[in-house]
């Protein structure tokens, strides 16, 4: 038996999580400042690795195959880490039936404070008032799978808590801003 404490990765560790996989395929990032900017955008975030992976996946789709670079141009075209996520959120929303879009609106509004910051909510709070709570719970699970929400469990109270994957959704996703 062994207890292992996992801490938040340092900026250097986060950079290596980007550089390593690209290097395996013979690619590199166009400039070091790009790596710094990407990792700075997610510092102190519990979902930092997931956000970076998401953005890097989108950059990989737009990579410069000739020079074998992940480029600043592709990063900026995505809107950075936050823009890539906001565009993804909009795509997810547009793929949902209208009734589920209304449920997503209700869920997301509960996860944002009046000060426009992330708010932690229990599953019970998120499905409260839903006509079909089981469908609302399934929607929450699909939002986690789509990497728009994160969850954590509190074993002391036997409840799971949810939050937006990143505050970038609040600042970059126009639909959420309109709500």
């Amino acid at each position: 038996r062994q207890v292992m404490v996992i801490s938040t990765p340092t900026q250097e560790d986060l950079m290596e999580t980007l550089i390593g996989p690209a290097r395996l395929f013979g690619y590199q990032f166009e400039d070091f400042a790009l790596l710094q900017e990407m990792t700075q955008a997610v510092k102190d975030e519990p979902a930092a690795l997931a956000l970076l992976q998401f953005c890097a996946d989108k950059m990989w789709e737009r990579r410069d195959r000739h020079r074998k670079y992940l480029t600043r141009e592709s990063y900026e075209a995505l809107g950075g880490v936050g823009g890539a996520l906001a565009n993804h959120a909009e795509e997810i929303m547009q793929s949902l039936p209208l009734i589920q879009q209304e449920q997503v609106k209700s869920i997301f509004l509960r996860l944002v404070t009046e000060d426009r910051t992330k708010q932690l909510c229990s599953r019970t709070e998120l499905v409260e008032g839903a006509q079909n709570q089981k469908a609302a719970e399934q929607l929450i699970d699909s939002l986690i799978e789509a990497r728009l929400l994160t969850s954590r469990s509190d074993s002391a109270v036997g409840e799971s808590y949810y939050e937006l994957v990143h505050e970038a959704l609040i600042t970059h996703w126009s639909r959420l801003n309109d709500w």
Side-chain angles (χ1 to χ4, degrees):
R1 289 185 163 189
Q2 196 172 10
V3 174
M4 181 178 280
V5 177
I6 301 174
S7 62
T8 304
T10 65
Q11 188 171 10
E12 292 77 24
D13 292 337
L14 291 173
M15 283 187 213
E16 186 54 39
T17 65
L18 293 170
I19 294 168
R23 189 181 306 133
L24 286 174
F25 291 95
Y27 280 78
Q28 60 186 338
F29 282 80
E30 194 168 37
D31 61 65
F32 184 73
L34 174 58
L35 287 166
Q36 289 177 312
E37 188 176 324
M38 291 176 70
T39 55
Q40 189 67 27
V42 298
K43 73 173 191 167
D44 302 324
E45 280 294 327
L49 290 172
L51 283 168
L52 284 176
Q53 177 195 4
F54 182 82
C55 187
D57 286 348
K58 294 294 184 185
M59 289 175 69
W60 181 257
E61 292 170 9
R62 297 169 174 242
R63 69 192 177 273
D64 182 334
R65 295 170 194 264
H66 176 70
R67 296 184 311 149
K68 295 200 168 215
Y69 277 137
L70 296 166
T71 65
R72 175 168 292 285
E73 181 182 338
S74 68
Y75 180 71
E76 290 174 357
L78 290 168
V81 175
L85 186 59
N87 292 332
H88 173 68
E90 188 58 31
E91 289 171 10
I92 295 297
M93 273 299 280
Q94 290 179 4
S95 73
L96 296 173
L98 199 53
I99 185 102
Q100 284 187 320
Q101 288 184 25
E102 286 301 316
Q103 288 176 317
V104 170
K105 178 181 178 180
S106 173
I107 290 167
F108 274 65
L109 287 176
R110 291 171 191 223
L111 293 169
V112 179
T113 69
E114 289 179 12
D115 297 327
R116 294 178 168 253
T117 59
K118 294 189 314 181
Q119 177 165 288
L120 201 60
C121 290
S122 70
R123 184 174 279 252
T124 304
E125 292 170 315
L126 292 179
V127 300
E128 184 179 29
Q131 289 180 345
N132 182 338
Q133 289 194 348
K134 185 168 180 72
E137 289 182 357
Q138 289 172 341
L139 182 58
I140 290 167
D141 293 337
S142 67
L143 292 171
I144 291 169
E145 189 174 313
R147 298 191 272 182
L148 296 176
L149 300 182
T150 59
S151 68
R152 55 180 98 158
S153 297
D154 185 341
S155 56
V157 293
E159 182 79 74
S160 293
Y161 292 89
Y162 302 85
E163 65 183 337
L164 298 178
V165 71
H166 196 278
E167 286 198 7
L169 280 173
I170 299 169
T171 57
H172 289 87
W173 188 22
S174 60
R175 185 186 297 247
L176 183 54
N177 267 298
D178 291 345
W179 291 338

